[in-house]
Amino acid sequence: MNAWTALRLAVAAGAMTLTAAAEERLDFRTRILPILTKAGCNSGQCHGAAVGQGGFKLSLLGYDPVQDYLNITRERGGRRMDAESPARSLLLRKATDQLDHDGGRRIKPDSEAYRTLVKWLGAGAAFGPPDLRVTAIEVEPPDLLLPSPGQTAQLRVTARLSDATQEDVSALALYSTNDDAVAEVKSSGLVTVRDCGSTSIMVRYAGQVVAARVAVPFGEDELKVDFVPRNFIDEAVLAELRRLRLPPSPLSDDAEFLRRVFLDLIGRLPTAAEARAFLREPPSDGKRSRLIAALTEREEFVDFWTMKFGDWLLIGGKRGGELPTRTYHAWVRKELAQRRPLDQMVRDLLLAQGDPAKVGPANFYTLASDPRDLGEYVGSMFLGTQIACARCHAHPADRWTQDDYHAFAAYFARITQKDGRVTIAERGEVEHPKTHQPMTARPLGGAPGPPDAHDPRAPLAEWLVAGDNPLFARNLVNRVWKHLLGRGLVEPVDDLRPTNPPANPALLDALAASFVQHGFDLRRLVREIAGSRTYQLASLPTPANRRDERLFSHAYLKPLPAQVLADAVAQVTGVPDTFPGTPAGTRAVQLIGAQTPSPALDVLGRCPRERTCETAARPGGGLAQALHLINGSTINGKLREAVQTLQSRHLTGPALLDELYLRALSRPPTAAERTAWEPQLATDAEAVEDLLWALLNSREFSLNH
């Protein structure tokens, strides 16, 4: 152990702290370091940078108080402090810009922060009790509703310390807004709302984080709407819409609902015959509920959700060999077909061992070999939590520290890939990068369970999928909600943290509670959401709710996934795609991995499964996709054969027009569309091909609405 490490450990143990003035406690961790953080001294642009600035380094946002204390008081012979003449301390003269300082003035000489630093230095610059720390912070008000733009409100932040005391730290907390178009916040915590809508203010102090929700109603009058809730989802949504005086759109008509629910639940369009039968039946809640239930029982439901899980679990990216990918895909499909609860599926993934070519879940551990990378994957996929920042420093927007990060990674320290098998080694550990001490495995935000000598992942699996884990169920329902509604209650879906609160916290909590109560049943969750009036609202916004992008006052437009779009073209034209190495008739959603050659799917934006496609920019799309659909083989190569098939059925005039619209858009043509197309179909032999091309290139076709 070198002398510097010994000194660090002595400070951490309390053996090297000096004595501060008895009349006022001036602890470094809880009183002094927050002043430097508030001043920006330890920000990433200043001394908190990876290599510091000007020969002086502090930990980013104060995540390592002991090292910061040593750097200030001991480094370079203690030249940064002067106990005899505190005001002449280099630390203060630089911060006040009395000496040349690239960061400029950070602390005003007449400020309370300056006076506190002078007192601390003059009293001997104590570290203070080593165990004293801020354990939590609270913000008041936690939910701020201001009547109109231009209004202001002051946030008050209280810190709770480990010695059971509490302090008002509003002046030293850090504040930032998640959407400055809706609300801005000053360094003092004064919030000014700029526009209608909702956002949140992130508050950080001494390594603790919290958020205050801020909203401004969209209207002035009390909301009166014809919106009868069908379940707890609608009740939670309606409560938020009333609070923000945001009227919902009317219910979608049967044609819009039919197309939406087919695409969302089974990833394919209804046939023309299915559309005719559904639209012929009088509108009712009952027939919609029956359709939802029937769709969740179809084989296509399993195919489509297997594809969704493949994207989520990154099945068959470049890391996966052909046989292991097939085994993994087959396992996921079997689990979904047999209605395996999702908590049990995830438990099997976490505890998997064996040959990935024979044991499907073992492929999860081929995503990475470093236990730190595996910890990040598990945090993102199964907890909706980003912990990567904490590998090097405390997370700037969450509560995770380096200790949390490496203790979580320690669960995977004994995972090895030897002779093509995933196994548990007899030894393996993760060291803390600063102390170089082996870490004891500990779950994120939870207490470690009893260790398992055979498999250290066992207590992790039990904790992670437990019904009272606040992250697991919320992560899963948020992902399903995003697929069905077009955006998550929390966005991005893998960033559930206190400073990124849900658009509707009560709804997310209720969905998670229901999901746990009913045994993590995917089909039931899908039926619950799709059966809500919220899901079934029209996509056309009203003048009063057209600005809403997160409160679900109307259905949001969703681009069709690449595989679904390709299959939809094949279904409408009646000309199936062919994929190398697959049986004839294989649909794009049934492809096993992401490496099956298909230039069309690539340009349409299929997920390459190298990283999550739920939060990253979607590959493909844009101008390349538009040009491909206009000129490429996906549509144009099928038109002539499609028209010949239609002609063989001797469909003409209005019947042909109805058939094309029902196939492509799941609705009959409007009166205006009939007027425009019926004369052309009667006189122009190529009009059928032109109409079909126009339908397949329309936004109405390429979007789920």
Coordinates of all heavy atoms in Angstrom, one line a residue, residues 400-439:
W400 N -26.7 6.4 -8.8 CA -25.8 5.3 -8.8 C -24.3 5.8 -8.7 O -24.0 6.8 -9.4 CB -25.9 4.4 -10.1 CG -27.3 4.1 -10.4 CD1 -28.1 4.3 -11.5 CD2 -28.2 3.4 -9.5 NE1 -29.3 3.8 -11.4 CE2 -29.5 3.2 -10.1 CE3 -28.1 2.8 -8.2 CZ2 -30.6 2.6 -9.5 CZ3 -29.2 2.2 -7.6 CH2 -30.4 2.1 -8.3
T401 N -23.6 5.1 -7.9 CA -22.2 5.5 -7.7 C -21.3 4.4 -8.3 O -21.8 3.3 -8.7 CB -21.8 5.6 -6.2 OG1 -22.0 4.3 -5.6 CG2 -22.8 6.6 -5.5
Q402 N -20.0 4.6 -8.2 CA -19.0 3.6 -8.7 C -19.2 2.3 -7.8 O -19.0 1.2 -8.3 CB -17.6 4.1 -8.6 CG -17.2 4.9 -9.8 CD -15.7 5.2 -9.8 OE1 -15.2 5.8 -8.9 NE2 -15.0 4.8 -10.9
D403 N -19.4 2.5 -6.5 CA -19.7 1.3 -5.7 C -20.9 0.5 -6.2 O -20.8 -0.7 -6.2 CB -19.9 1.8 -4.2 CG -18.6 2.3 -3.6 OD1 -17.5 2.1 -4.1 OD2 -18.7 2.9 -2.5
D404 N -22.0 1.2 -6.4 CA -23.2 0.5 -6.9 C -22.9 -0.2 -8.2 O -23.3 -1.4 -8.4 CB -24.3 1.5 -7.2 CG -24.8 2.2 -5.9 OD1 -24.9 1.6 -4.9 OD2 -25.0 3.4 -6.0
Y405 N -22.2 0.5 -9.1 CA -21.9 -0.1 -10.5 C -21.1 -1.4 -10.3 O -21.5 -2.5 -10.9 CB -21.2 0.9 -11.3 CG -20.8 0.4 -12.7 CD1 -21.6 0.6 -13.8 CD2 -19.6 -0.4 -12.9 CE1 -21.2 0.2 -15.1 CE2 -19.3 -0.8 -14.1 CZ -20.1 -0.6 -15.2 OH -19.7 -1.1 -16.4
H406 N -20.0 -1.3 -9.6 CA -19.1 -2.5 -9.6 C -19.6 -3.6 -8.7 O -19.3 -4.8 -8.9 CB -17.7 -2.0 -9.2 CG -17.0 -1.2 -10.3 ND1 -17.1 0.2 -10.3 CD2 -16.3 -1.5 -11.4 CE1 -16.5 0.7 -11.3 NE2 -16.0 -0.3 -12.0
A407 N -20.4 -3.2 -7.7 CA -21.0 -4.3 -6.8 C -22.0 -5.0 -7.7 O -22.2 -6.3 -7.5 CB -21.6 -3.6 -5.6
F408 N -22.7 -4.3 -8.5 CA -23.7 -5.0 -9.4 C -23.0 -5.9 -10.4 O -23.4 -7.1 -10.7 CB -24.6 -4.0 -10.1 CG -25.8 -4.6 -10.8 CD1 -26.8 -5.2 -10.1 CD2 -25.9 -4.5 -12.2 CE1 -27.9 -5.7 -10.8 CE2 -27.0 -5.0 -12.9 CZ -28.0 -5.6 -12.2
A409 N -21.9 -5.4 -11.0 CA -21.1 -6.2 -12.0 C -20.5 -7.4 -11.3 O -20.3 -8.4 -12.0 CB -20.0 -5.3 -12.6
A410 N -20.3 -7.4 -10.0 CA -19.7 -8.6 -9.3 C -20.6 -9.8 -9.4 O -20.0 -10.9 -9.3 CB -19.4 -8.2 -7.9
Y411 N -21.8 -9.7 -9.7 CA -22.7 -10.9 -9.8 C -22.2 -11.7 -11.0 O -22.5 -12.9 -11.1 CB -24.1 -10.5 -10.0 CG -24.9 -10.1 -8.8 CD1 -25.3 -8.8 -8.6 CD2 -25.1 -11.0 -7.8 CE1 -26.0 -8.4 -7.4 CE2 -25.8 -10.7 -6.6 CZ -26.2 -9.4 -6.4 OH -26.9 -9.0 -5.3
F412 N -21.6 -11.1 -12.0 CA -21.3 -11.8 -13.3 C -19.8 -12.1 -13.4 O -19.3 -12.5 -14.4 CB -21.7 -10.9 -14.4 CG -23.1 -10.4 -14.3 CD1 -23.4 -9.1 -13.9 CD2 -24.2 -11.3 -14.5 CE1 -24.7 -8.7 -13.8 CE2 -25.5 -10.9 -14.4 CZ -25.8 -9.6 -14.0
A413 N -19.0 -11.9 -12.2 CA -17.6 -12.0 -12.3 C -17.1 -13.4 -12.6 O -16.0 -13.7 -13.1 CB -17.0 -11.5 -11.0
R414 N -18.0 -14.4 -12.3 CA -17.5 -15.8 -12.4 C -18.1 -16.5 -13.7 O -17.9 -17.7 -13.9 CB -17.9 -16.6 -11.2 CG -17.1 -16.3 -10.0 CD -17.6 -16.9 -8.7 NE -17.9 -18.4 -8.8 CZ -18.5 -19.1 -7.9 NH1 -19.0 -18.5 -6.9 NH2 -18.7 -20.4 -8.1
I415 N -18.8 -15.7 -14.5 CA -19.3 -16.2 -15.8 C -18.1 -16.3 -16.8 O -17.4 -15.3 -17.0 CB -20.3 -15.2 -16.4 CG1 -21.6 -15.1 -15.5 CG2 -20.8 -15.7 -17.8 CD1 -22.3 -16.4 -15.3
T416 N -18.0 -17.5 -17.4 CA -16.9 -17.7 -18.4 C -17.5 -18.3 -19.6 O -18.6 -19.0 -19.5 CB -15.8 -18.6 -17.8 OG1 -16.3 -19.9 -17.5 CG2 -15.2 -18.0 -16.6
Q417 N -16.9 -18.1 -20.7 CA -17.2 -18.8 -21.9 C -16.0 -19.7 -22.3 O -15.1 -19.2 -22.9 CB -17.6 -17.8 -23.0 CG -18.8 -17.0 -22.7 CD -19.1 -15.9 -23.7 OE1 -19.0 -16.2 -24.9 NE2 -19.4 -14.7 -23.3
K418 N -16.1 -20.9 -22.0 CA -14.9 -21.8 -22.2 C -15.4 -23.0 -23.0 O -16.4 -23.7 -22.7 CB -14.4 -22.3 -20.8 CG -13.2 -23.2 -20.9 CD -12.7 -23.5 -19.5 CE -11.4 -24.4 -19.6 NZ -10.9 -24.7 -18.2
D419 N -14.6 -23.3 -24.1 CA -14.9 -24.4 -25.0 C -16.3 -24.3 -25.5 O -17.0 -25.3 -25.7 CB -14.7 -25.7 -24.3 CG -13.3 -25.9 -23.8 OD1 -12.4 -25.5 -24.5 OD2 -13.1 -26.6 -22.7
G420 N -16.7 -23.0 -25.8 CA -18.0 -22.8 -26.4 C -19.2 -23.0 -25.4 O -20.4 -23.0 -25.8
R421 N -18.9 -23.1 -24.1 CA -20.0 -23.2 -23.1 C -20.0 -22.0 -22.1 O -18.9 -21.5 -21.8 CB -19.8 -24.5 -22.3 CG -20.0 -25.8 -23.1 CD -19.7 -27.0 -22.3 NE -20.5 -27.1 -21.1 CZ -21.8 -27.6 -21.1 NH1 -22.3 -28.1 -22.2 NH2 -22.5 -27.6 -19.9
V422 N -21.1 -21.6 -21.7 CA -21.3 -20.7 -20.6 C -21.3 -21.4 -19.3 O -22.1 -22.3 -19.1 CB -22.6 -19.8 -20.8 CG1 -22.7 -18.9 -19.6 CG2 -22.5 -19.1 -22.1
T423 N -20.3 -21.1 -18.5 CA -20.2 -21.8 -17.2 C -19.9 -20.9 -16.1 O -19.6 -19.7 -16.3 CB -19.0 -22.9 -17.3 OG1 -17.8 -22.2 -17.5 CG2 -19.3 -23.9 -18.4
I424 N -19.9 -21.4 -14.8 CA -19.6 -20.7 -13.6 C -18.2 -21.1 -13.2 O -18.0 -22.3 -12.9 CB -20.6 -20.9 -12.5 CG1 -22.0 -20.6 -13.0 CG2 -20.3 -20.1 -11.3 CD1 -22.2 -19.1 -13.3
A425 N -17.3 -20.2 -13.2 CA -15.9 -20.5 -12.7 C -15.9 -20.6 -11.2 O -16.7 -20.1 -10.5 CB -14.9 -19.5 -13.2
E426 N -14.8 -21.3 -10.7 CA -14.7 -21.4 -9.3 C -14.3 -20.0 -8.6 O -14.6 -19.8 -7.5 CB -13.6 -22.4 -8.9 CG -14.0 -23.8 -9.3 CD -12.9 -24.8 -8.9 OE1 -11.9 -24.4 -8.2 OE2 -13.1 -26.0 -9.2
R427 N -13.6 -19.2 -9.4 CA -13.2 -17.9 -8.8 C -13.5 -16.8 -9.9 O -13.6 -17.1 -11.1 CB -11.7 -17.9 -8.5 CG -11.4 -19.0 -7.4 CD -9.9 -18.8 -7.1 NE -9.6 -17.5 -6.5 CZ -8.4 -17.1 -6.1 NH1 -7.3 -17.9 -6.3 NH2 -8.2 -15.9 -5.6
G428 N -13.5 -15.6 -9.4 CA -13.8 -14.5 -10.3 C -14.2 -13.3 -9.4 O -15.0 -13.5 -8.5
E429 N -13.7 -12.1 -9.7 CA -14.1 -11.0 -8.9 C -14.0 -9.7 -9.7 O -13.4 -9.7 -10.8 CB -13.2 -10.8 -7.6 CG -11.8 -10.7 -7.9 CD -10.9 -10.8 -6.7 OE1 -11.3 -11.5 -5.7 OE2 -9.8 -10.2 -6.7
V430 N -14.7 -8.7 -9.3 CA -14.6 -7.4 -9.9 C -14.0 -6.4 -8.8 O -14.5 -6.4 -7.7 CB -16.0 -6.8 -10.3 CG1 -16.0 -5.4 -10.7 CG2 -16.6 -7.7 -11.4
E431 N -13.0 -5.7 -9.2 CA -12.3 -4.8 -8.3 C -12.8 -3.4 -8.5 O -13.2 -3.0 -9.6 CB -10.8 -4.8 -8.5 CG -10.1 -6.1 -8.1 CD -8.6 -5.9 -8.3 OE1 -8.1 -4.9 -8.8 OE2 -7.9 -6.9 -7.9
H432 N -12.9 -2.7 -7.4 CA -13.2 -1.2 -7.4 C -12.0 -0.5 -8.1 O -10.9 -0.8 -7.7 CB -13.4 -0.7 -6.0 CG -14.1 0.7 -6.1 ND1 -13.4 1.8 -6.4 CD2 -15.3 1.1 -5.7 CE1 -14.2 2.9 -6.3 NE2 -15.4 2.4 -5.9
P433 N -12.2 0.3 -9.1 CA -11.1 0.9 -9.8 C -10.2 1.8 -9.0 O -9.1 2.1 -9.4 CB -11.8 1.7 -11.0 CG -13.2 1.9 -10.5 CD -13.5 0.8 -9.6
K434 N -10.8 2.3 -7.9 CA -9.9 3.2 -7.1 C -9.3 2.5 -5.9 O -8.1 2.7 -5.6 CB -10.8 4.4 -6.6 CG -11.2 5.3 -7.7 CD -11.9 6.6 -7.1 CE -12.2 7.6 -8.2 NZ -11.0 8.1 -8.9
T435 N -10.0 1.7 -5.2 CA -9.4 1.0 -4.0 C -8.8 -0.3 -4.4 O -8.0 -0.8 -3.6 CB -10.5 0.7 -3.0 OG1 -11.5 -0.2 -3.5 CG2 -11.3 2.0 -2.6
H436 N -9.1 -0.8 -5.6 CA -8.6 -2.1 -6.1 C -9.0 -3.2 -5.1 O -8.3 -4.3 -5.1 CB -7.1 -2.0 -6.3 CG -6.6 -1.0 -7.2 ND1 -6.9 -1.0 -8.6 CD2 -6.0 0.2 -7.0 CE1 -6.4 0.1 -9.2 NE2 -5.9 0.8 -8.2
Q437 N -10.0 -3.0 -4.4 CA -10.5 -4.1 -3.5 C -11.6 -4.8 -4.2 O -12.4 -4.3 -4.9 CB -11.1 -3.5 -2.2 CG -10.1 -2.7 -1.4 CD -8.9 -3.6 -0.9 OE1 -9.2 -4.6 -0.3 NE2 -7.7 -3.2 -1.2
P438 N -11.7 -6.2 -4.0 CA -12.8 -6.9 -4.6 C -14.1 -6.5 -4.1 O -14.3 -6.3 -2.9 CB -12.5 -8.4 -4.3 CG -11.6 -8.3 -3.1 CD -10.8 -7.0 -3.2
M439 N -15.1 -6.4 -4.9 CA -16.5 -6.0 -4.6 C -17.3 -7.1 -4.1 O -17.3 -8.2 -4.8 CB -17.1 -5.2 -5.7 CG -16.4 -4.0 -6.2 SD -16.2 -2.7 -4.9 CE -18.0 -2.2 -4.7

